[in-house]
Coordinates of all heavy atoms in Angstrom, one line a residue:
M346 N -117.5 78.8 -86.3 CA -116.9 77.6 -86.5 C -116.1 77.1 -85.3 O -116.1 76.0 -84.9 CB -116.0 77.6 -87.8 CG -115.6 76.3 -88.2 SD -116.9 75.2 -88.6 CE -116.0 73.8 -89.2
N347 N -115.3 78.0 -84.7 CA -114.5 77.7 -83.6 C -115.4 77.3 -82.4 O -114.9 76.3 -81.7 CB -113.7 79.0 -83.2 CG -112.4 78.6 -82.4 OD1 -112.1 77.5 -82.4 ND2 -111.8 79.7 -81.9
L348 N -116.5 77.9 -82.2 CA -117.4 77.4 -81.1 C -117.9 76.0 -81.3 O -117.9 75.2 -80.3 CB -118.6 78.4 -80.9 CG -119.6 78.1 -79.9 CD1 -118.9 78.2 -78.5 CD2 -120.8 79.1 -80.0
L349 N -118.2 75.7 -82.5 CA -118.6 74.3 -82.9 C -117.6 73.2 -82.5 O -117.9 72.2 -82.0 CB -119.1 74.2 -84.3 CG -119.6 72.8 -84.8 CD1 -120.9 72.5 -84.0 CD2 -119.9 72.9 -86.3
I350 N -116.3 73.6 -82.8 CA -115.2 72.7 -82.6 C -115.1 72.5 -81.1 O -114.9 71.4 -80.6 CB -113.9 73.2 -83.2 CG1 -114.0 73.1 -84.7 CG2 -112.7 72.5 -82.7 CD1 -112.9 73.8 -85.5
W351 N -115.2 73.6 -80.3 CA -115.1 73.5 -78.8 C -116.2 72.6 -78.3 O -116.0 71.8 -77.4 CB -115.2 74.9 -78.2 CG -113.8 75.5 -78.0 CD1 -113.2 76.4 -78.8 CD2 -112.9 75.2 -77.0 NE1 -112.0 76.7 -78.3 CE2 -111.8 76.0 -77.1 CE3 -112.9 74.3 -75.9 CZ2 -110.7 76.0 -76.3 CZ3 -111.8 74.3 -75.0 CH2 -110.7 75.1 -75.3
I352 N -117.4 72.8 -78.8 CA -118.5 71.9 -78.3 C -118.3 70.5 -78.7 O -118.5 69.6 -77.8 CB -119.8 72.4 -79.0 CG1 -120.2 73.8 -78.4 CG2 -121.0 71.4 -78.8 CD1 -121.4 74.5 -79.1
I353 N -117.9 70.2 -79.9 CA -117.6 68.8 -80.2 C -116.4 68.2 -79.4 O -116.5 67.1 -78.9 CB -117.3 68.6 -81.8 CG1 -118.6 68.9 -82.5 CG2 -116.8 67.2 -82.1 CD1 -118.4 69.1 -84.0
F354 N -115.4 69.0 -79.3 CA -114.2 68.5 -78.5 C -114.6 68.3 -77.0 O -114.3 67.3 -76.4 CB -113.1 69.6 -78.6 CG -111.8 69.2 -77.9 CD1 -111.0 68.3 -78.6 CD2 -111.5 69.7 -76.7 CE1 -109.8 68.0 -78.0 CE2 -110.3 69.3 -76.1 CZ -109.4 68.5 -76.8
G355 N -115.4 69.2 -76.5 CA -115.9 69.1 -75.1 C -116.7 67.9 -74.8 O -116.6 67.2 -73.9
A356 N -117.6 67.6 -75.9 CA -118.5 66.4 -75.7 C -117.6 65.1 -75.7 O -117.9 64.2 -75.0 CB -119.5 66.4 -76.9
L357 N -116.6 65.1 -76.6 CA -115.8 63.9 -76.7 C -115.0 63.7 -75.4 O -114.9 62.6 -74.9 CB -114.8 63.9 -77.9 CG -115.5 63.7 -79.3 CD1 -114.5 64.0 -80.4 CD2 -116.1 62.3 -79.4
V358 N -114.4 64.7 -74.9 CA -113.5 64.7 -73.7 C -114.4 64.4 -72.6 O -114.1 63.5 -71.7 CB -112.8 66.1 -73.5 CG1 -112.2 66.1 -72.1 CG2 -111.7 66.3 -74.5
G359 N -115.6 65.0 -72.4 CA -116.5 64.7 -71.3 C -117.0 63.3 -71.4 O -117.1 62.6 -70.3
M360 N -117.2 62.7 -72.6 CA -117.7 61.3 -72.7 C -116.6 60.4 -72.3 O -116.9 59.5 -71.5 CB -118.0 61.1 -74.2 CG -118.6 59.7 -74.5 SD -119.0 59.4 -76.2 CE -117.4 59.6 -76.9
F361 N -115.4 60.6 -72.7 CA -114.3 59.7 -72.3 C -114.1 59.8 -70.7 O -113.8 58.8 -70.1 CB -113.0 60.0 -73.0 CG -113.0 59.4 -74.4 CD1 -113.1 60.2 -75.5 CD2 -112.8 58.0 -74.6 CE1 -113.0 59.7 -76.8 CE2 -112.8 57.5 -75.9 CZ -112.9 58.3 -77.0
A362 N -114.1 61.0 -70.2 CA -113.9 61.2 -68.8 C -115.1 60.5 -68.0 O -114.8 59.9 -67.0 CB -113.9 62.7 -68.4
G363 N -116.2 60.6 -68.6 CA -117.4 59.9 -67.9 C -117.2 58.3 -68.0 O -117.5 57.7 -66.9
W364 N -116.7 57.8 -69.1 CA -116.5 56.4 -69.1 C -115.4 55.9 -68.1 O -115.6 54.9 -67.5 CB -116.0 56.0 -70.5 CG -117.0 55.9 -71.6 CD1 -118.4 55.9 -71.4 CD2 -116.8 55.9 -73.0 NE1 -119.1 55.8 -72.5 CE2 -118.1 55.8 -73.5 CE3 -115.7 55.9 -73.8 CZ2 -118.3 55.7 -74.9 CZ3 -116.0 55.9 -75.1 CH2 -117.2 55.8 -75.7
I365 N -114.3 56.8 -68.0 CA -113.3 56.3 -67.1 C -113.7 56.5 -65.6 O -113.4 55.6 -64.8 CB -112.0 57.3 -67.4 CG1 -111.5 57.0 -68.7 CG2 -111.0 57.1 -66.3 CD1 -110.4 57.9 -69.3
T366 N -114.4 57.5 -65.3 CA -114.9 57.7 -63.9 C -116.2 57.0 -63.6 O -116.7 57.1 -62.5 CB -115.0 59.2 -63.6 OG1 -116.0 59.8 -64.4 CG2 -113.7 59.9 -63.8
K367 N -116.8 56.4 -64.6 CA -118.1 55.7 -64.4 C -119.1 56.8 -64.0 O -120.0 56.5 -63.1 CB -118.1 54.5 -63.5 CG -117.0 53.6 -63.9 CD -117.5 52.2 -63.9 CE -116.4 51.1 -64.1 NZ -115.5 51.3 -65.2
D368 N -119.1 58.0 -64.5 CA -120.0 59.1 -64.1 C -121.0 59.3 -65.3 O -120.5 59.5 -66.4 CB -119.1 60.3 -63.9 CG -120.0 61.4 -63.4 OD1 -120.7 61.2 -62.3 OD2 -119.9 62.6 -63.9
K369 N -122.2 59.2 -65.1 CA -123.3 59.4 -66.0 C -123.7 60.9 -66.1 O -124.1 61.4 -65.1 CB -124.5 58.5 -65.8 CG -124.1 57.1 -65.6 CD -124.0 56.4 -66.9 CE -123.8 55.0 -66.8 NZ -123.1 54.3 -67.7
R370 N -123.6 61.5 -67.3 CA -124.0 62.9 -67.5 C -124.8 62.9 -68.8 O -124.6 62.1 -69.7 CB -122.8 63.8 -67.5 CG -122.1 63.9 -66.2 CD -121.3 65.1 -66.0 NE -120.6 65.1 -64.8 CZ -121.1 65.5 -63.7 NH1 -122.3 65.9 -63.6 NH2 -120.4 65.4 -62.5
S371 N -125.5 64.0 -69.0 CA -126.2 64.2 -70.2 C -125.2 64.8 -71.2 O -124.0 65.0 -70.9 CB -127.3 65.3 -70.0 OG -126.8 66.5 -69.6
L372 N -125.6 65.0 -72.5 CA -124.8 65.5 -73.5 C -124.3 66.9 -73.1 O -123.0 67.2 -73.2 CB -125.5 65.6 -74.8 CG -124.7 66.2 -76.0 CD1 -123.5 65.4 -76.3 CD2 -125.6 66.3 -77.2
L373 N -125.2 67.8 -72.6 CA -124.8 69.1 -72.1 C -123.8 69.0 -71.0 O -122.8 69.8 -70.9 CB -126.0 69.9 -71.8 CG -125.7 71.3 -71.3 CD1 -125.0 72.1 -72.4 CD2 -127.0 72.0 -70.8
G374 N -124.0 68.0 -70.1 CA -123.1 67.9 -69.0 C -121.7 67.4 -69.4 O -120.7 67.9 -68.9
N375 N -121.7 66.5 -70.4 CA -120.4 66.1 -71.0 C -119.7 67.2 -71.6 O -118.4 67.4 -71.5 CB -120.6 65.0 -72.0 CG -120.8 63.6 -71.3 OD1 -120.5 63.4 -70.2 ND2 -121.4 62.7 -72.1
I376 N -120.4 68.1 -72.3 CA -119.8 69.2 -73.0 C -119.2 70.1 -72.0 O -118.0 70.6 -72.1 CB -120.8 69.9 -73.9 CG1 -121.2 69.1 -75.1 CG2 -120.3 71.3 -74.4 CD1 -122.4 69.6 -75.9
L377 N -120.0 70.5 -70.9 CA -119.4 71.4 -69.9 C -118.3 70.8 -69.2 O -117.3 71.5 -68.9 CB -120.6 71.7 -68.9 CG -121.7 72.6 -69.4 CD1 -122.8 72.7 -68.4 CD2 -121.2 73.9 -69.8
V378 N -118.3 69.5 -68.8 CA -117.2 68.8 -68.1 C -116.0 68.8 -69.0 O -114.9 69.2 -68.6 CB -117.6 67.4 -67.6 CG1 -116.4 66.6 -67.3 CG2 -118.5 67.5 -66.5
G379 N -116.2 68.5 -70.3 CA -115.1 68.5 -71.2 C -114.4 69.8 -71.5 O -113.2 69.9 -71.5
V380 N -115.2 70.8 -71.7 CA -114.7 72.2 -71.9 C -114.0 72.7 -70.7 O -112.9 73.2 -70.8 CB -115.8 73.2 -72.4 CG1 -115.3 74.6 -72.5 CG2 -116.3 72.7 -73.8
I381 N -114.6 72.6 -69.5 CA -114.0 73.1 -68.3 C -112.7 72.3 -68.0 O -111.7 72.8 -67.5 CB -115.0 73.0 -67.1 CG1 -116.1 74.1 -67.4 CG2 -114.3 73.3 -65.8 CD1 -117.3 74.0 -66.4
G382 N -112.8 71.0 -68.1 CA -111.6 70.1 -68.0 C -110.5 70.5 -68.9 O -109.3 70.5 -68.5
S383 N -110.8 70.7 -70.2 CA -109.8 71.2 -71.1 C -109.2 72.5 -70.8 O -108.0 72.7 -70.8 CB -110.4 71.3 -72.5 OG -110.9 70.0 -73.0
F384 N -110.0 73.4 -70.3 CA -109.5 74.7 -70.0 C -108.6 74.6 -68.8 O -107.5 75.1 -68.7 CB -110.7 75.6 -69.6 CG -110.4 77.0 -69.0 CD1 -109.9 77.9 -69.9 CD2 -110.5 77.2 -67.7 CE1 -109.5 79.2 -69.4 CE2 -110.1 78.4 -67.2 CZ -109.7 79.4 -68.0
F385 N -109.0 73.8 -67.8 CA -108.2 73.7 -66.6 C -106.9 72.9 -66.9 O -105.8 73.4 -66.4 CB -109.0 72.9 -65.5 CG -108.2 72.6 -64.2 CD1 -108.0 73.7 -63.4 CD2 -107.7 71.4 -63.9 CE1 -107.2 73.5 -62.2 CE2 -106.9 71.2 -62.8 CZ -106.7 72.3 -61.9
A386 N -106.9 71.9 -67.7 CA -105.7 71.2 -68.1 C -104.7 72.1 -68.9 O -103.5 72.1 -68.6 CB -106.0 70.0 -68.9
G387 N -105.3 72.9 -69.8 CA -104.4 73.8 -70.5 C -103.8 74.9 -69.7 O -102.6 75.3 -69.8
W388 N -104.6 75.4 -68.7 CA -104.1 76.4 -67.8 C -103.0 75.8 -66.9 O -102.0 76.4 -66.7 CB -105.3 77.0 -67.0 CG -104.9 78.1 -66.1 CD1 -104.2 79.2 -66.4 CD2 -105.4 78.3 -64.8 NE1 -104.2 80.1 -65.4 CE2 -104.9 79.5 -64.3 CE3 -106.2 77.5 -64.0 CZ2 -105.2 80.0 -63.1 CZ3 -106.5 78.0 -62.7 CH2 -106.0 79.3 -62.3
A389 N -103.3 74.6 -66.4 CA -102.2 74.0 -65.6 C -101.0 73.6 -66.3 O -99.9 73.8 -65.8 CB -102.9 72.7 -64.9
G390 N -101.2 73.2 -67.6 CA -100.1 72.9 -68.4 C -99.1 74.1 -68.7 O -98.0 74.0 -69.1
S391 N -99.7 75.3 -68.7 CA -99.0 76.5 -68.9 C -98.3 77.1 -67.7 O -97.8 78.1 -67.7 CB -99.8 77.6 -69.6 OG -100.7 78.1 -68.6
G392 N -98.5 76.3 -66.6 CA -97.9 76.8 -65.3 C -98.8 77.9 -64.7 O -98.4 78.7 -63.9
F393 N -100.1 77.7 -65.0 CA -101.2 78.6 -64.4 C -100.9 80.1 -64.8 O -101.2 81.0 -64.1 CB -101.3 78.5 -62.9 CG -101.7 77.1 -62.5 CD1 -100.8 76.3 -62.0 CD2 -103.0 76.7 -62.6 CE1 -101.1 74.9 -61.6 CE2 -103.3 75.4 -62.2 CZ -102.4 74.6 -61.7
Q394 N -100.3 80.3 -66.1 CA -100.0 81.6 -66.5 C -100.8 82.0 -67.8 O -101.1 83.2 -67.9 CB -98.5 81.8 -66.8 CG -97.7 81.5 -65.6 CD -96.2 81.6 -65.9 OE1 -95.8 81.7 -67.1 NE2 -95.4 81.4 -65.0
S395 N -101.2 81.2 -68.6 CA -101.7 81.6 -69.9 C -103.1 80.9 -70.1 O -103.3 79.8 -69.8 CB -100.8 81.2 -71.0 OG -101.4 81.4 -72.3
F396 N -104.0 81.7 -70.7 CA -105.3 81.2 -71.1 C -105.5 81.0 -72.6 O -106.5 80.8 -73.1 CB -106.4 82.1 -70.6 CG -106.5 82.2 -69.1 CD1 -106.2 83.4 -68.4 CD2 -107.0 81.1 -68.4 CE1 -106.3 83.4 -67.1 CE2 -107.1 81.2 -67.0 CZ -106.8 82.4 -66.3
Q397 N -104.3 81.1 -73.3 CA -104.4 81.0 -74.7 C -104.5 79.6 -75.2 O -103.9 78.7 -74.7 CB -103.1 81.6 -75.2 CG -102.9 81.6 -76.8 CD -101.6 82.2 -77.2 OE1 -100.7 82.5 -76.4 NE2 -101.5 82.4 -78.5
T398 N -105.4 79.4 -76.2 CA -105.6 78.1 -76.8 C -104.8 78.1 -78.1 O -104.6 79.1 -78.8 CB -107.0 77.8 -77.1 OG1 -107.5 78.8 -77.9 CG2 -107.7 77.8 -75.8
T399 N -104.4 76.9 -78.5 CA -103.7 76.7 -79.8 C -104.4 75.8 -80.6 O -105.7 75.7 -80.5 CB -102.3 76.2 -79.5 OG1 -102.2 75.1 -78.7 CG2 -101.4 77.3 -78.8
T400 N -103.8 74.8 -81.3 CA -104.5 73.9 -82.1 C -104.8 72.6 -81.3 O -104.3 72.4 -80.2 CB -103.6 73.4 -83.3 OG1 -102.4 72.9 -82.8 CG2 -103.3 74.7 -84.2
I401 N -105.7 71.8 -81.8 CA -106.1 70.6 -81.1 C -105.1 69.5 -81.5 O -104.9 69.3 -82.7 CB -107.5 70.2 -81.5 CG1 -108.5 71.2 -80.9 CG2 -107.8 68.8 -81.0 CD1 -109.9 70.9 -81.3
T402 N -104.5 68.9 -80.6 CA -103.5 67.8 -80.8 C -103.9 66.5 -80.0 O -104.7 66.7 -79.1 CB -102.1 68.2 -80.4 OG1 -102.1 68.5 -79.0 CG2 -101.6 69.4 -81.2
W403 N -103.3 65.4 -80.3 CA -103.6 64.2 -79.5 C -103.1 64.4 -78.1 O -103.8 64.0 -77.1 CB -102.9 63.0 -80.2 CG -103.7 62.5 -81.4 CD1 -103.3 62.6 -82.6 CD2 -104.9 61.9 -81.4 NE1 -104.2 62.1 -83.5 CE2 -105.3 61.6 -82.7 CE3 -105.9 61.6 -80.4 CZ2 -106.5 61.1 -83.1 CZ3 -107.1 60.9 -80.7 CH2 -107.3 60.7 -82.1
S404 N -101.9 64.9 -77.9 CA -101.5 65.1 -76.5 C -102.4 66.1 -75.8 O -102.7 65.9 -74.6 CB -100.1 65.7 -76.5 OG -99.9 66.9 -77.1
G405 N -102.9 67.1 -76.4 CA -103.8 68.0 -75.8 C -105.2 67.3 -75.5 O -105.8 67.6 -74.4
F406 N -105.6 66.4 -76.3 CA -106.8 65.6 -76.1 C -106.7 64.8 -74.8 O -107.6 64.9 -74.0 CB -107.1 64.8 -77.4 CG -108.3 64.0 -77.2 CD1 -109.6 64.5 -77.3 CD2 -108.3 62.6 -77.1 CE1 -110.8 63.8 -77.2 CE2 -109.4 61.8 -76.9 CZ -110.7 62.4 -77.0
F407 N -105.6 64.1 -74.7 CA -105.4 63.2 -73.6 C -105.2 64.0 -72.3 O -105.7 63.7 -71.2 CB -104.3 62.3 -73.8 CG -104.5 61.3 -74.8 CD1 -103.8 61.2 -76.0 CD2 -105.6 60.4 -74.7 CE1 -104.1 60.3 -77.0 CE2 -105.9 59.5 -75.7 CZ -105.1 59.4 -76.8
T408 N -104.5 65.2 -72.4 CA -104.4 66.1 -71.3 C -105.7 66.7 -70.8 O -106.0 66.8 -69.7 CB -103.4 67.3 -71.6 OG1 -102.2 66.7 -72.0 CG2 -103.2 68.1 -70.4
S409 N -106.6 66.9 -71.8 CA -107.9 67.4 -71.5 C -108.7 66.4 -70.8 O -109.5 66.7 -69.9 CB -108.6 67.9 -72.8 OG -107.9 68.9 -73.4
I410 N -108.6 65.2 -71.2 CA -109.3 64.1 -70.5 C -108.8 64.0 -69.0 O -109.7 63.9 -68.2 CB -109.1 62.7 -71.2 CG1 -109.8 62.7 -72.6 CG2 -109.6 61.5 -70.4 CD1 -109.5 61.5 -73.4
I411 N -107.6 64.1 -68.8 CA -107.1 64.1 -67.4 C -107.7 65.3 -66.6 O -108.1 65.2 -65.5 CB -105.5 64.2 -67.4 CG1 -105.0 62.8 -67.9 CG2 -105.0 64.4 -66.0 CD1 -103.5 62.8 -68.2
G412 N -107.7 66.5 -67.3 CA -108.3 67.6 -66.7 C -109.8 67.4 -66.4 O -110.3 67.9 -65.3
A413 N -110.5 66.8 -67.2 CA -111.9 66.6 -67.1 C -112.1 65.5 -65.9 O -113.1 65.7 -65.1 CB -112.6 66.0 -68.3
I414 N -111.2 64.5 -65.9 CA -111.3 63.5 -64.7 C -111.1 64.3 -63.4 O -111.8 64.0 -62.4 CB -110.3 62.4 -64.9 CG1 -110.7 61.5 -66.1 CG2 -110.1 61.6 -63.7 CD1 -109.7 60.6 -66.6
V415 N -110.2 65.2 -63.4 CA -109.9 65.9 -62.1 C -111.2 66.8 -61.8 O -111.6 66.8 -60.6 CB -108.7 66.8 -62.2 CG1 -108.5 67.8 -61.0 CG2 -107.4 65.9 -62.3
F416 N -111.8 67.4 -62.8 CA -112.9 68.2 -62.6 C -114.1 67.3 -62.1 O -114.8 67.8 -61.2 CB -113.3 68.9 -63.9 CG -114.5 69.9 -63.7 CD1 -114.4 70.9 -62.8 CD2 -115.6 69.7 -64.4 CE1 -115.5 71.8 -62.7 CE2 -116.7 70.5 -64.3 CZ -116.7 71.6 -63.4
V417 N -114.3 66.2 -62.7 CA -115.4 65.3 -62.2 C -115.1 64.8 -60.8 O -116.0 64.8 -59.9 CB -115.5 64.0 -63.1 CG1 -116.4 63.0 -62.5 CG2 -116.1 64.5 -64.5
A418 N -113.9 64.5 -60.4 CA -113.5 64.2 -59.1 C -113.9 65.3 -58.1 O -114.4 65.1 -57.0 CB -112.1 63.8 -58.9
L419 N -113.5 66.5 -58.4 CA -113.9 67.7 -57.6 C -115.4 67.9 -57.5 O -115.8 68.2 -56.4 CB -113.2 68.9 -58.2 CG -111.7 69.1 -58.1 CD1 -111.2 70.3 -58.8 CD2 -111.3 69.1 -56.6
L420 N -116.1 67.7 -58.6 CA -117.6 67.8 -58.5 C -118.1 66.7 -57.6 O -119.0 67.1 -56.7 CB -118.2 67.6 -59.9 CG -118.1 68.7 -60.9 CD1 -118.6 68.3 -62.2 CD2 -118.9 69.9 -60.4
K421 N -117.6 65.5 -57.6 CA -118.1 64.4 -56.8 C -117.8 64.8 -55.3 O -118.5 64.5 -54.4 CB -117.5 63.1 -57.2 CG -118.1 62.5 -58.4 CD -117.5 61.1 -58.7 CE -118.2 60.5 -59.8 NZ -117.7 59.2 -60.1
L422 N -116.6 65.3 -55.1 CA -116.2 65.7 -53.7 C -117.1 66.7 -53.1 O -117.4 66.6 -51.9 CB -114.7 66.2 -53.7 CG -114.1 66.6 -52.4 CD1 -113.9 65.3 -51.5 CD2 -112.8 67.3 -52.6
F423 N -117.4 67.7 -53.9 CA -118.3 68.8 -53.3 C -119.7 68.6 -53.4 O -120.5 69.4 -52.8 CB -117.9 70.1 -54.0 CG -116.5 70.6 -53.6 CD1 -115.5 70.6 -54.6 CD2 -116.2 71.0 -52.4 CE1 -114.2 71.1 -54.2 CE2 -115.0 71.5 -52.0 CZ -114.0 71.5 -52.9
T424 N -120.2 67.6 -54.2 CA -121.6 67.3 -54.3 C -122.1 66.1 -53.6 O -123.2 65.6 -54.0 CB -122.1 67.4 -55.8 OG1 -121.3 66.4 -56.5 CG2 -121.8 68.7 -56.4
R425 N -121.3 65.5 -52.8 CA -121.7 64.3 -52.1 C -122.9 64.5 -51.2 O -123.0 65.6 -50.5 CB -120.6 63.7 -51.2 CG -119.5 63.1 -52.1 CD -118.6 62.2 -51.3 NE -117.6 61.7 -52.2 CZ -116.5 61.2 -51.8 NH1 -116.3 61.0 -50.5 NH2 -115.6 60.7 -52.6
K426 N -123.8 63.6 -51.1 CA -125.0 63.8 -50.3 C -124.9 63.0 -49.0 O -124.2 62.1 -48.8 CB -126.2 63.2 -51.1 CG -126.4 64.0 -52.3 CD -127.6 63.4 -53.1 CE -127.7 64.2 -54.4 NZ -128.7 63.7 -55.3

């Protein structure tokens, strides 16, 4: 059940980050961007010390979107043609 929640949360975060950055990705791409962005934002929010997850909150959701936006920006920076 926990994995399903991460997938849904990642898809939503990735979708919002894609809308904000005008970046088009598939559903799987949105999930990956959302989960990685959430992970990065949570890690940065803990002062780069803890990988522990807690409950899903609105502030965590918005922080995750910011993390996903940063991740998309890094992807664009390193994958420019």
Side-chain angles (χ1 to χ4, degrees):
M346 185 66 173
N347 205 11
L348 180 63
L349 181 62
I350 291 171
W351 268 101
I352 291 171
I353 293 170
F354 186 78
L357 288 173
V358 168
M360 182 181 64
F361 280 110
W364 282 343
I365 292 168
T366 62
K367 307 227 184 312
D368 188 52
K369 303 282 187 210
R370 298 204 182 274
S371 66
L372 178 60
L373 181 61
N375 281 339
I376 292 170
L377 290 174
V378 164
V380 170
I381 292 170
S383 297
F384 175 76
F385 181 72
W388 186 44
S391 73
F393 300 102
Q394 296 177 1
S395 174
F396 293 110
Q397 182 180 8
T398 59
T399 56
T400 59
I401 295 175
T402 61
W403 283 109
S404 62
F406 180 72
F407 293 118
T408 304
S409 295
I410 292 173
I411 292 169
I414 290 169
V415 169
F416 182 64
V417 167
L419 288 172
L420 283 175
K421 285 183 176 183
L422 180 70
F423 289 113
T424 59
R425 287 192 182 169
K426 296 177 183 175

